[in-house]
Amino acid sequence: MSDSLLAKKYVDGIYIPAGLIVLGTAILKREFLHYAVLVAIALGAIKFIRTQPKKVLKPDAFQEFELKEKTIISHNVAIYRFALPNPSDILGLPIGQHISIGAHLPQPDGTTKEIVRSYTPVSGDHQPGYFDLLIKSYPTGNISKHMAGLAVGQTIRVKGPKGAFVYTPNMVRHFGMIAGGTGITPMLQVIRAIVRGRKAGDTTQVDLIFANVTKEDILLKEDLDALTKEDKGIRVHYVLDKPPADWQGGVGYVTGDMITKWLPKPAEDVKLLLCGPPPMVSGLKKTAEALGFKKARPVSKLEDQIFAF
């Protein structure tokens, strides 16, 4: 994240104070003017350095971050906003990567065990001072259930970045994406980066199939619809297993016919991104291979045509 040197925070926090020091000295003690200029430059430089974004993530060490805000989306889904140490801090998470959340949780046998799970924030480094996590809590979940019980002011342990995928502008001509449930989070992260990068020349096209059980289960639908309205290079195709009577989208599980109809054909400048429940991802890998995509590895690499988060 880079700010113009004429940004308001620099004008108000550096240029005006420095100018007042020099102007005041010129009026009251003109013989000290050159010292005043040096002091103003030194103080301005210190202030400038302190206002630059600092990446806080550490890949090999857990750090604690405080829950600042909790926004309930539904009975089992919420967006959790965690504060970074300083307002100008950023996570330092490359687009497409995720973080690990760890917690020592009680087990049925009475012992305590450290459980670690991966999550992709729905915020980005262009939003300093905090990060947002969209989490669906399951009755049998470990970290997700732990998160649901967090109160504002409590902390979680985080480390990262993790993951083999890093998005760079125009890395492919066209992304096909298939997400199930909370698997939408890495897809949304990449899509938002593409839309932000349009002015700088990012021409990447995106077709996303987003599968859910019911209409009420569709997470971040307003955000996705706003992005498709704003950017004609982004298209979202919704699929429901249990649709309402007036449903106009896809019905059932994601099939080869849906992939053929809505997603780009296999090509060297096309990549297929998958994220969702493991059985869904496993089945989609086989379906995509049958349609001509290169065979997916058990653990995806950045260069793979089929990449599973």
Side-chain angles (χ1 to χ4, degrees), residues 99-145:
I99 58 175
S100 294
I101 296 178
H104 293 92
L105 302 176
Q107 301 301 299
D109 61 3
T111 61
T112 298
K113 182 181 178 183
E114 183 179 42
I115 307 294
V116 179
R117 293 288 184 270
S118 297
Y119 290 94
T120 303
V122 291
S123 56
D125 284 350
H126 61 293
Q127 300 162 297
Y130 66 88
F131 64 94
D132 290 341
L133 297 175
L134 174 79
I135 296 179
K136 185 172 185 176
S137 299
Y138 298 91
T140 57
N142 285 300
I143 296 294
S144 70
K145 197 160 79 171

Coordinates of all heavy atoms in Angstrom, one line a residue, residues 99-145:
I99 N -3.6 -17.4 6.7 CA -3.0 -17.4 8.0 C -3.4 -18.7 8.8 O -4.3 -19.4 8.5 CB -3.4 -16.2 8.9 CG1 -4.9 -16.1 9.0 CG2 -2.9 -14.9 8.2 CD1 -5.4 -15.0 9.9
S100 N -2.6 -19.0 9.8 CA -2.9 -20.1 10.7 C -3.3 -19.6 12.0 O -2.7 -18.6 12.6 CB -1.6 -21.0 10.9 OG -1.3 -21.7 9.7
I101 N -4.4 -20.1 12.5 CA -4.9 -19.7 13.9 C -4.7 -21.0 14.8 O -5.1 -22.1 14.4 CB -6.4 -19.3 13.8 CG1 -6.6 -18.1 13.0 CG2 -6.9 -19.1 15.2 CD1 -8.0 -17.6 12.9
G102 N -4.1 -20.7 15.9 CA -3.8 -21.8 16.9 C -4.5 -21.6 18.2 O -4.6 -20.4 18.7
A103 N -5.0 -22.6 18.8 CA -5.5 -22.5 20.2 C -5.4 -23.8 20.9 O -5.4 -24.9 20.3 CB -7.0 -22.2 20.1
H104 N -5.1 -23.7 22.2 CA -5.0 -24.9 23.1 C -6.4 -25.2 23.6 O -7.0 -24.5 24.4 CB -4.1 -24.7 24.3 CG -2.6 -24.5 23.8 ND1 -2.1 -23.3 23.5 CD2 -1.7 -25.4 23.6 CE1 -0.8 -23.5 23.1 NE2 -0.6 -24.8 23.2
L105 N -7.0 -26.3 23.1 CA -8.4 -26.6 23.4 C -8.5 -27.9 24.2 O -7.8 -28.9 23.9 CB -9.2 -26.7 22.1 CG -9.1 -25.5 21.1 CD1 -9.9 -25.8 19.8 CD2 -9.8 -24.3 21.9
P106 N -9.5 -28.0 25.1 CA -9.7 -29.2 25.9 C -10.2 -30.3 25.0 O -11.0 -30.1 24.0 CB -10.8 -28.8 26.9 CG -11.5 -27.6 26.3 CD -10.4 -26.9 25.5
Q107 N -9.8 -31.6 25.3 CA -10.2 -32.7 24.5 C -11.1 -33.6 25.4 O -11.2 -33.5 26.6 CB -8.9 -33.5 24.1 CG -7.9 -32.7 23.2 CD -8.5 -32.2 22.0 OE1 -9.0 -33.0 21.1 NE2 -8.6 -30.9 21.8
P108 N -11.8 -34.6 24.7 CA -12.8 -35.4 25.4 C -12.1 -36.2 26.6 O -12.8 -36.5 27.5 CB -13.3 -36.4 24.3 CG -13.1 -35.6 23.1 CD -11.9 -34.8 23.2
D109 N -10.8 -36.5 26.4 CA -10.2 -37.3 27.4 C -9.6 -36.5 28.6 O -8.9 -37.0 29.5 CB -9.0 -38.2 26.9 CG -7.9 -37.3 26.2 OD1 -8.0 -36.0 26.3 OD2 -7.0 -37.8 25.7
G110 N -9.9 -35.2 28.6 CA -9.5 -34.3 29.7 C -8.2 -33.6 29.5 O -7.9 -32.7 30.2
T111 N -7.5 -34.0 28.4 CA -6.2 -33.3 28.1 C -6.5 -32.0 27.3 O -7.6 -31.8 26.8 CB -5.3 -34.2 27.3 OG1 -5.9 -34.6 26.1 CG2 -5.0 -35.5 28.1
T112 N -5.4 -31.3 27.1 CA -5.5 -30.1 26.3 C -4.5 -30.3 25.1 O -3.4 -30.7 25.2 CB -5.1 -28.8 27.1 OG1 -6.0 -28.6 28.1 CG2 -5.1 -27.6 26.2
K113 N -5.0 -29.9 23.9 CA -4.2 -30.1 22.7 C -4.2 -28.8 21.8 O -5.3 -28.1 21.8 CB -4.9 -31.3 21.9 CG -4.1 -31.6 20.6 CD -4.8 -32.8 19.9 CE -4.2 -33.1 18.6 NZ -4.9 -34.2 17.9
E114 N -3.1 -28.5 21.2 CA -3.0 -27.3 20.3 C -3.6 -27.7 19.0 O -3.2 -28.6 18.3 CB -1.6 -26.8 20.1 CG -1.6 -25.6 19.3 CD -0.2 -25.0 19.1 OE1 0.7 -25.8 18.8 OE2 -0.1 -23.7 19.1
I115 N -4.7 -27.0 18.6 CA -5.3 -27.2 17.3 C -5.0 -26.0 16.4 O -5.1 -24.8 16.8 CB -6.9 -27.3 17.4 CG1 -7.2 -28.4 18.5 CG2 -7.5 -27.6 16.1 CD1 -6.9 -29.8 18.1
V116 N -4.6 -26.2 15.2 CA -4.3 -25.2 14.2 C -5.1 -25.3 13.0 O -5.2 -26.4 12.4 CB -2.8 -25.2 13.8 CG1 -2.4 -24.1 12.8 CG2 -1.9 -25.0 15.1
R117 N -5.7 -24.2 12.5 CA -6.5 -24.3 11.3 C -6.2 -23.0 10.4 O -5.7 -22.0 11.0 CB -8.0 -24.2 11.6 CG -8.6 -25.5 12.3 CD -8.6 -26.6 11.4 NE -9.2 -27.8 12.0 CZ -8.5 -28.7 12.7 NH1 -7.2 -28.6 12.8 NH2 -9.1 -29.8 13.2
S118 N -6.4 -23.2 9.1 CA -6.1 -22.1 8.2 C -7.3 -21.3 7.8 O -8.4 -21.9 7.6 CB -5.4 -22.7 6.9 OG -4.2 -23.3 7.2
Y119 N -7.1 -20.0 7.7 CA -8.2 -19.1 7.3 C -7.6 -18.0 6.3 O -6.5 -17.5 6.5 CB -8.9 -18.4 8.5 CG -9.7 -19.4 9.3 CD1 -9.1 -20.0 10.4 CD2 -11.0 -19.7 9.0 CE1 -9.9 -20.9 11.2 CE2 -11.7 -20.5 9.8 CZ -11.2 -21.1 10.9 OH -11.9 -22.0 11.6
T120 N -8.5 -17.6 5.4 CA -8.1 -16.5 4.5 C -8.9 -15.2 4.9 O -10.1 -15.3 4.9 CB -8.4 -16.8 3.0 OG1 -7.8 -18.0 2.7 CG2 -8.0 -15.7 2.1
P121 N -8.2 -14.1 5.3 CA -9.0 -12.9 5.6 C -9.8 -12.4 4.4 O -9.4 -12.6 3.3 CB -7.9 -11.9 6.0 CG -6.7 -12.8 6.4 CD -6.8 -14.0 5.5
V122 N -10.9 -11.7 4.7 CA -11.7 -11.1 3.7 C -11.3 -9.6 3.5 O -11.9 -8.9 2.7 CB -13.2 -11.2 3.9 CG1 -13.6 -12.7 3.8 CG2 -13.6 -10.7 5.3
S123 N -10.3 -9.2 4.4 CA -9.8 -7.9 4.2 C -8.4 -8.0 3.5 O -8.0 -9.1 3.3 CB -9.6 -7.2 5.6 OG -8.8 -8.0 6.4
G124 N -7.7 -6.9 3.3 CA -6.4 -6.9 2.6 C -5.5 -5.9 3.2 O -5.8 -5.1 4.0
D125 N -4.2 -5.9 2.7 CA -3.2 -4.9 3.1 C -3.5 -3.5 2.7 O -2.8 -2.6 3.2 CB -1.8 -5.4 2.6 CG -1.3 -6.6 3.4 OD1 -1.9 -6.9 4.5 OD2 -0.3 -7.2 3.0
H126 N -4.5 -3.3 1.9 CA -4.9 -1.9 1.5 C -5.8 -1.3 2.6 O -6.2 -0.2 2.6 CB -5.6 -1.9 0.2 CG -6.9 -2.7 0.2 ND1 -6.9 -4.1 0.3 CD2 -8.2 -2.3 0.1 CE1 -8.2 -4.5 0.2 NE2 -9.0 -3.4 0.1
Q127 N -6.1 -2.1 3.7 CA -6.9 -1.7 4.8 C -6.1 -1.8 6.1 O -6.1 -2.8 6.8 CB -8.2 -2.5 4.9 CG -9.0 -2.5 3.7 CD -10.0 -3.6 3.6 OE1 -9.7 -4.8 3.5 NE2 -11.3 -3.3 3.6
P128 N -5.2 -0.8 6.4 CA -4.3 -0.9 7.6 C -5.1 -0.9 8.9 O -6.2 -0.4 9.0 CB -3.4 0.3 7.4 CG -4.3 1.3 6.7 CD -5.1 0.5 5.7
G129 N -4.4 -1.4 9.9 CA -4.9 -1.3 11.3 C -5.7 -2.5 11.8 O -6.0 -2.6 13.0
Y130 N -6.2 -3.4 10.9 CA -7.0 -4.5 11.3 C -7.0 -5.6 10.2 O -6.6 -5.4 9.1 CB -8.4 -4.0 11.6 CG -9.2 -3.5 10.3 CD1 -9.9 -4.4 9.5 CD2 -9.1 -2.2 10.0 CE1 -10.5 -4.0 8.4 CE2 -9.8 -1.7 8.8 CZ -10.5 -2.6 8.0 OH -11.1 -2.2 6.9
F131 N -7.6 -6.7 10.6 CA -7.9 -7.8 9.5 C -9.2 -8.4 9.9 O -9.6 -8.5 11.1 CB -6.8 -8.8 9.4 CG -6.5 -9.6 10.6 CD1 -7.1 -10.9 10.7 CD2 -5.6 -9.2 11.6 CE1 -6.8 -11.7 11.8 CE2 -5.3 -10.0 12.7 CZ -5.9 -11.2 12.8
D132 N -10.0 -8.8 8.9 CA -11.3 -9.4 9.1 C -11.3 -10.9 8.7 O -10.7 -11.3 7.6 CB -12.3 -8.7 8.2 CG -12.6 -7.3 8.7 OD1 -12.3 -7.0 9.8 OD2 -13.2 -6.5 7.9
L133 N -11.9 -11.7 9.5 CA -12.1 -13.1 9.2 C -13.6 -13.5 9.1 O -14.3 -13.1 10.0 CB -11.4 -14.0 10.2 CG -9.9 -13.9 10.4 CD1 -9.4 -14.7 11.6 CD2 -9.2 -14.3 9.1
L134 N -14.0 -14.2 8.0 CA -15.3 -14.7 7.9 C -15.3 -16.1 8.3 O -14.6 -16.9 7.7 CB -15.8 -14.5 6.5 CG -17.2 -15.2 6.2 CD1 -18.3 -14.3 6.6 CD2 -17.3 -15.5 4.7
I135 N -16.0 -16.5 9.4 CA -15.9 -17.9 9.9 C -17.3 -18.4 10.1 O -18.2 -17.8 10.8 CB -15.1 -17.9 11.2 CG1 -13.6 -17.5 10.9 CG2 -15.1 -19.3 11.8 CD1 -12.7 -17.4 12.1
K136 N -17.5 -19.6 9.6 CA -18.7 -20.4 9.9 C -18.5 -21.4 11.0 O -17.5 -22.2 10.9 CB -19.2 -21.1 8.6 CG -20.5 -21.8 8.8 CD -21.0 -22.3 7.4 CE -22.4 -23.0 7.5 NZ -22.9 -23.4 6.2
S137 N -19.2 -21.3 12.1 CA -19.0 -22.2 13.2 C -19.8 -23.5 13.1 O -21.0 -23.5 12.7 CB -19.4 -21.5 14.5 OG -18.6 -20.3 14.7
Y138 N -19.1 -24.6 13.3 CA -19.8 -25.9 13.3 C -19.8 -26.5 14.7 O -18.9 -26.3 15.5 CB -19.0 -26.9 12.4 CG -18.9 -26.4 10.9 CD1 -17.8 -25.6 10.5 CD2 -19.9 -26.7 10.0 CE1 -17.8 -25.1 9.2 CE2 -19.8 -26.3 8.7 CZ -18.8 -25.5 8.3 OH -18.7 -25.0 7.0
P139 N -20.9 -27.3 15.0 CA -21.0 -27.9 16.4 C -19.8 -28.8 16.7 O -19.4 -28.8 17.9 CB -22.3 -28.7 16.3 CG -23.1 -28.0 15.2 CD -22.1 -27.5 14.2
T140 N -19.3 -29.4 15.7 CA -18.2 -30.4 15.9 C -16.8 -29.7 15.6 O -15.8 -30.3 15.6 CB -18.3 -31.6 15.0 OG1 -18.4 -31.2 13.7 CG2 -19.6 -32.4 15.4
G141 N -16.9 -28.4 15.2 CA -15.6 -27.7 14.9 C -14.7 -27.5 16.1 O -15.2 -27.4 17.2
N142 N -13.5 -27.3 15.8 CA -12.5 -26.9 16.9 C -12.3 -25.4 17.0 O -12.9 -24.8 17.8 CB -11.2 -27.7 16.7 CG -11.3 -29.1 17.0 OD1 -11.6 -29.5 18.1 ND2 -11.0 -30.0 16.0
I143 N -11.5 -24.9 16.0 CA -11.3 -23.5 16.0 C -12.5 -22.7 15.7 O -12.7 -21.6 16.4 CB -10.2 -23.1 15.0 CG1 -8.8 -23.8 15.4 CG2 -10.0 -21.6 14.9 CD1 -8.2 -23.3 16.6
S144 N -13.4 -23.1 14.8 CA -14.6 -22.4 14.5 C -15.5 -22.2 15.7 O -16.1 -21.1 15.9 CB -15.3 -23.0 13.3 OG -15.9 -24.2 13.7
K145 N -15.6 -23.3 16.5 CA -16.4 -23.2 17.7 C -15.8 -22.3 18.8 O -16.4 -21.5 19.5 CB -16.7 -24.6 18.3 CG -17.8 -24.7 19.3 CD -18.3 -26.1 19.4 CE -17.4 -26.9 20.3 NZ -18.0 -28.2 20.7

